[in-house]
Amino acid sequence: MSVPDISPTSPDYLFDSVPAPAEIRSVCEGIQWIRLPLPFALDHVNCWLLGEPGEQVLVDTGVATSKSRALWQQHWGAKGADGLASVPEKLLVTHFHPDHAGLAGWFGEAGSQLYGSAVEIALSRSIWSRDDSEYAQEYARWYAENGIPEEAISQVLQKPNSYRLIVSEPPAAELWTCLEAGQVVELGGAQYRVLVGRGHAPDMLMLYRESDHVLIAADQILPRISPNVSVSTVLADQNPLQSFLDTLDELKVLPEDTLVLPSHGIPFRGLHARIGALQAHHEDRLAEVYQACRQPASAYDMFSVLFARKLDAQQMSFALGESLAHLHFLEHQGSLTRQSCDGVDQFVQVEQETKLDK
Ligand SMILES: [Zn+2]
């Protein structure tokens, strides 16, 4: 999931159209593209099918809705109303977000061998297991601490565990083969190096095919929008923007002609320019947030700085996470300091704080 839009940098797209929902489109040697609909403002996710029938690996699944299940049944055949007649031999899940991991349990039950990151698998299970009131209370507390208005807090208290609504029960940890950064794995008859992206999710898997420079980039590098980088109630990383920017730096060693297969948008070339644009985007945002903290300000106060449009309930939590990611980055850097005012966290420029104290 990703907000917000940033100005297009016209990457060199491989196609000028996207596949229809039931279409399987060949992207490059041994990799096919399936584009699944999503019931959000970001309306699709890309899944990749590696290898040939008999040795196929699906990368990511879409959310657990009847629409996604029906589309997968068109590819692999239906068994009963809700099952699959056949399956890809392997399923690799890049990270815990619902649009990527939503149907891991469903594919696992139907017989796919499961591949993922130990951290992401544990996170998916722990979020899925939270009961509704625990989940709502946690969000309400987080909203209140960050200055979100009472009306939005009472709305969030009515909400069930939204993760469980669009994710089928995540398979138990022992059912997965876990992959780690640096490992080389054979998937669908080709060798891929496992890379890990941090900041969008804690330990997101990416795959790099050295032989012909293909990067399955998950949500680390998207061609048109800036991947969501959020502080969250469920994540341990309190400075995810630093982690995200560090990962971008690490990816600069890949060759300029790398074909990037992003989880949202169209496959493209122009990796280094895109990394530069994402870095510049965050630098601009950090400067704006820093300026806005001349007076003590909450994360909610940053919404008008960072987001031009009105936010719906789902976007509210992304916006809060994204605002905090920028505030925490500046706090860790020593430019901002945090104080509590009537139970609300406020951030202020370090120099201004010294002046205000005098
Ligand atoms: Zn994601």
Side-chain angles (χ1 to χ4, degrees):
M1 207 69 41
S2 318
V3 290
D5 281 7
I6 63 173
S7 43
T9 47
S10 57
D12 181 9
Y13 288 118
L14 197 63
F15 301 97
D16 54 15
S17 70
V18 297
E23 184 185 340
I24 299 192
R25 182 178 295 184
S26 177
V27 173
C28 56
E29 176 76 33
I31 302 184
Q32 293 172 299
W33 175 18
I34 300 164
R35 191 175 185 271
L36 253 71
L38 293 178
F40 312 123
L42 181 63
D43 64 358
H44 72 278
V45 62
N46 298 328
C47 304
W48 312 104
L49 195 55
L50 317 181
E52 302 297 323
E55 206 186 343
Q56 276 185 325
V57 184
L58 176 66
V59 178
D60 290 337
T61 69
V63 292
T65 57
S66 51
K67 206 168 181 179
S68 308
R69 286 191 178 92
L71 281 167
W72 289 127
Q73 285 175 326
Q74 284 188 43
H75 293 301
W76 279 292
K79 186 170 152 195
D82 200 33
L84 283 173
S86 65
V87 283
E89 282 66 28
K90 294 173 181 169
L91 170 70
L92 186 150
V93 170
T94 57
H95 63 295
F96 78 98
H97 291 162
D99 45 338
H100 301 261
L103 284 169
W106 191 63
F107 276 103
E109 245 171 57
S112 295
Q113 284 178 52
L114 302 167
Y115 289 75
S117 139
V119 173
E120 301 285 335
I121 293 160
L123 194 54
S124 178
R125 282 186 67 80
S126 101
I127 299 172
W128 195 89
S129 309
R130 273 160 218 240
D131 71 43
D132 288 343
S133 87
E134 185 192 345
Y135 190 88
Q137 296 285 348
E138 202 171 329
Y139 264 87
R141 218 171 16 246
W142 187 52
Y143 277 22
E145 268 168 25
N146 288 293
I148 302 269
E150 197 56 47
E151 191 196 338
I153 296 177
S154 52
Q155 273 176 19
V156 89
L157 277 168
Q158 311 302 320
K159 275 179 53 174
N161 178 343
S162 54
Y163 190 77
R164 200 161 41 207
L165 295 179
I166 46 172
V167 175
S168 61
E169 183 173 358
E174 59 271 22
L175 297 174
W176 294 81
T177 301
C178 292
L179 301 178
E180 288 176 17
Q183 206 177 334
V184 174
V185 279
E186 187 166 316
L187 297 168
Q191 304 246 303
Y192 291 85
R193 186 147 48 91
V194 177
L195 307 178
V196 162
R198 301 198 164 86
H200 171 75
D203 197 61
M204 181 173 68
L205 299 180
M206 299 180 283
L207 296 171
Y208 180 63
R209 195 165 72 184
E210 211 129 34
S211 61
D212 59 348
H213 305 173
V214 177
L215 175 67
I216 296 178
D219 282 342
Q220 180 68 35
I221 300 193
L222 304 174
R224 207 180 61 79
I225 53 178
S226 171
N228 179 259
V229 177
S230 278
V231 170
S232 138
T233 55
V234 295
L235 301 178
D237 188 350
Q238 289 298 294
N239 192 3
L241 184 51
Q242 182 71 62
S243 311
F244 182 78
L245 294 173
D246 288 348
T247 300
L248 288 183
D249 266 337
E250 288 163 20
L251 290 175
K252 284 182 186 163
V253 302
L254 298 184
E256 173 57 21
D257 66 354
T258 297
L259 175 61
V260 183
L261 309 190
S263 288
H264 309 281
I266 297 176
F268 67 97
R269 288 197 175 82
L271 174 68
H272 293 181
R274 191 60 196 148
I275 289 174
L278 289 169
Q279 288 172 326
H281 166 79
H282 285 296
E283 270 167 34
D284 290 352
R285 290 309 169 97
L286 286 166
E288 287 164 6
V289 167
Y290 179 72
Q291 283 309 318
C293 291
R294 239 196 288 264
Q295 295 298 321
S298 69
Y300 179 68
D301 293 330
M302 293 305 116
F303 285 17
S304 58
V305 178
L306 292 174
F307 307 99
R309 60 180 187 270
K310 186 146 171 50
L311 303 163
D312 68 22
Q314 194 210 19
Q315 288 164 337
M316 180 82 82
S317 68
F318 288 131
L320 177 54
E322 187 100 17
S323 298
L324 283 169
H326 288 84
L327 290 164
H328 284 199
F329 181 96
L330 292 166
E331 184 191 27
H332 278 78
Q333 197 183 51
S335 308
L336 296 182
T337 185
R338 196 188 320 197
Q339 56 198 30
S340 184
C341 178
D342 298 329
V344 173
D345 281 354
Q346 292 188 326
F347 296 80
V348 65
Q349 292 178 5
V350 167
E351 283 173 24
Q352 293 295 335
E353 194 217 18
T354 321
K355 277 188 217 153
L356 292 170
D357 279 352
K358 281 179 187 159

